[in-house]
């Protein structure tokens, strides 16, 4: 009998076979337990009177796994298998009344795997389960054939050695293994509803942005990888990575081990496979694969760390794209599917329908600076088709077409513009295209308002401004405490109320004469910077007559911004262009 650490290994009867791999695995489990036992002096697990030296083994879990085939707890490891090769992996379960799960993730080939059990009694002996002929005397606890991630789980497993046997069926592949003592298996794999992927089209450069919510499980250590392709969904991240870049055996030439015959054989086999792969690659060239199957470089794999968005460029019109999102726990190395969706990419967004007399507002930034509207002419028209475009904060380009023919040529609109179309016919469908004038203007625009109607006499809510909505100052009437301004009245007789606002230009912020017309009434009410506000109800008999107003109570030698607004009865308000004035420096 040989005693090694806390595990006993006895000579088995002639009817029992323990393979060299099983003996090697058990030897390293016991060696690891002994090292941890010896190194636990400072943790309080040993009596301080027993003075053992403390040893620190700076060994990664992956190295221990590759040397022993012992699956660690809460750390995903991987192993490479050739087609037809069978490997055994081991997990020694020692906790009483503790759940156990083993998660197996195939990569580029479907696999056949099963889990078997060997009981360890109170003396540490593994009881006989295998006959001399090599046949298993008991059926496996679980068996699976396929290429999906699957988990063997037991809530009340017996202590002992669990043996996982894996065989690839189609081609060489990596297999990822993960052991957990959580009830029901790893928590991330038990999410009832995967998060939804939100797709945001960006028409410029044929881009698409994919967004998602962060993981509710360990969000601080969760990283994300998105797979985009036109072929199919991928069930695992390593499957997509294998098809993207091919499959190459691991390089054991620099691995630290104990130079077992198995390690020497694997190193020699790996060296030969690497030479063959390099030779095939030099012959086949870029875009082809070696022994691991064809490579597909059009598969996009974007790993973005802890970010929750990814932008894909150069999408092709009419193609169907599949999006697979995977989460990777950087602490445990466990990767798992986190969400998926499909989209047929159409670079042109669906036109937005306009209803007669109803204001429609869109966020141009979310539409990547472009929006298309459709309007159908109904019955009972007034003989004209009116529409207005009101960008909130910046400039846009506007074009109106009918059956591909230009009705209103492309024009830049800043602040507000009203368009008229004579004699529209019932059933005609007009197309209005709006786009940001440039990226700088798009950053300034918060929204764009659009209204269309064939009944402007009753459904147009805004007053009509003169062709040149300018405000003029009478220089000769300038004083130290007042200025006099004038403006042309609205051609619309229903625009019956005019208001004059004056505020001191302390910040010198009048970059443009055109004001932001969106929600003008509300903004004027909230603005507390106005030094003067005067309103009057005047309806000149002659639209060419000038309305004048003297603005008093101003400070001498100061600059002011003058704003004139016109309001429609039971309607909204529009502003004339802004005017900058300055009072005289002194009073005589």
């Amino acid at each position: 009998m040989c005693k090694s650490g806390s595990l006993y290994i006895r000579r088995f009867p002639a009817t029992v076979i323990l393979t060299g791999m099983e003996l090697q695995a058990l030897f390293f489990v016991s060696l690891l337990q002994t090292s941890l036992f010896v190194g636990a002096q400072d943790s309080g697990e040993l009596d301080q009177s027993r003075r053992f030296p403390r040893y620190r083994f700076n060994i990664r879990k992956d190295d221990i796994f590759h040397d022993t085939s012992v699956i660690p707890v809460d750390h995903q490891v991987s192993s490479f298998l050739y087609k037809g090769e069978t490997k055994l992996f081991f997990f020694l379960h020692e906790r009483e009344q503790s759940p156990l799960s083993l998660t197996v993730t195939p990569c580029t080939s479907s696999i056949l795997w099963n889990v078997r059990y060997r009981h360890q009694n109170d003396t540490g002996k593994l009881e006989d389960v295998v006959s001399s002929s090599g046949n298993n005397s008991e059926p496996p606890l679980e068996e699976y054939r396929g290429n999906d991630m699957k988990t063997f789980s037991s809530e009340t497993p017996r202590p002992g050695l669990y043996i996982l046997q894996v065989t690839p069926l189609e081609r060489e592949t990596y297999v990822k293994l993960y052991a957990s003592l959580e009830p029901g298996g790893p928590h991330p794999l038990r999410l009832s509803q995967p998060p939804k992927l939100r797709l945001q089209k960006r028409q410029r450069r044929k881009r698409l942005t994919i967004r998602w919510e962060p993981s509710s499980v360990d969000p601080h250590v969760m990283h994300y990888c998105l797979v985009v392709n036109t072929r199919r969904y991928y069930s695992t991240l390593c499957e997509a990575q294998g098809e993207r870049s091919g499959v190459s055996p691991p390089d054991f030439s620099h691995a630290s081990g104990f130079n077992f015959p198995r390690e020497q054989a694997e190193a020699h086999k790996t060296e030969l496979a690497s030479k063959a792969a390099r030779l095939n690659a030099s012959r086949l060239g870029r875009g082809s694969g070696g022994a691991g199957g064809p490579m597909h470089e059009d598969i996009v794999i974007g790993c973005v760390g802890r970010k929750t968005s990814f932008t894909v460029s150069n999408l092709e019109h009419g193609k169907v794209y599949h999006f697979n999102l995977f989460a990777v726990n950087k602490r445990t190395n466990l990767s798992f599917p986190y969400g998926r969706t499909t989209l047929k990419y159409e670079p042109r967004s669906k036109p937005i329908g306009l209803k007669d007399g109803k204001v429609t507002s869109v966020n141009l930034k979310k539409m990547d600076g472009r929006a298309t509207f459709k309007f159908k002419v109904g019955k009972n028209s007034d003989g004209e088709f009116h529409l207005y475009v009101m960008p909130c904060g910046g400039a846009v380009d506007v074009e109106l077409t009918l059956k591909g023919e230009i009705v209103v040529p492309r024009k830049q609109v800043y602040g507000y513009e009203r368009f008229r179309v004579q004699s529209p016919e019932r059933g005609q469908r007009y197309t209005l295209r709006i786009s940001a004038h440039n990226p700088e203007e798009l950053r300034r625009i918060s929204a764009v308002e659009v209204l269309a109607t064939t009944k402007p006499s009753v459904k147009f809510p805004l007053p009509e401004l003169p062709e040149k909505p300018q405000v003029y100052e009478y220089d000769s009437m300038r004083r130290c405490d007042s200025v006099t301004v004038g403006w042309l009245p609205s051609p619309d007789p229903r625009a019956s109320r005019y208001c004059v606002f004056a505020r001191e230009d302390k910040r010198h912020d009048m970059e443009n004469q055109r004001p932001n017309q969106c929600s003008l009434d509300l903004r004027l009410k909230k603005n507390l910077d106005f030094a003067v506000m005067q309103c009057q109800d005047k309806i000149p008999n002659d639209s060419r007559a000038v309305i004048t107003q003297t603005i008093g109570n101003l400070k001498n030698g100061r600059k002011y911004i003058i704003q004139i607004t016109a309001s429609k009865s039971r309607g909204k308000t529009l502003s004339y262009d802004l005017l900058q004035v300055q009072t005289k420096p002194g009073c005589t």
Side-chain angles (χ1 to χ4, degrees), residues 103-107 109-111 113 144-151 232-236 239 337 340:
T103 301
V104 184
T105 305
C107 292
S109 172
S110 58
I111 60 174
W113 62 265
Y144 173 76
R145 179 191 298 263
N147 56 1
D148 292 326
M149 171 190 285
K150 292 292 181 181
T151 299
R232 60 183 178 88
Y233 284 130
Y234 288 95
S235 53
T236 63
E239 180 186 19
R340 70 181 193 178

Side-chain angles (χ1 to χ4, degrees), residues 315-335:
L315 300 179
E316 296 184 30
H317 173 70
K319 281 196 173 183
V320 177
Y321 288 87
H322 303 282
F323 303 89
N324 279 106
L325 181 63
F326 297 92
V328 183
N329 189 315
K330 301 304 289 184
R331 184 176 58 195
T332 65
N333 204 33
L334 176 65
S335 61

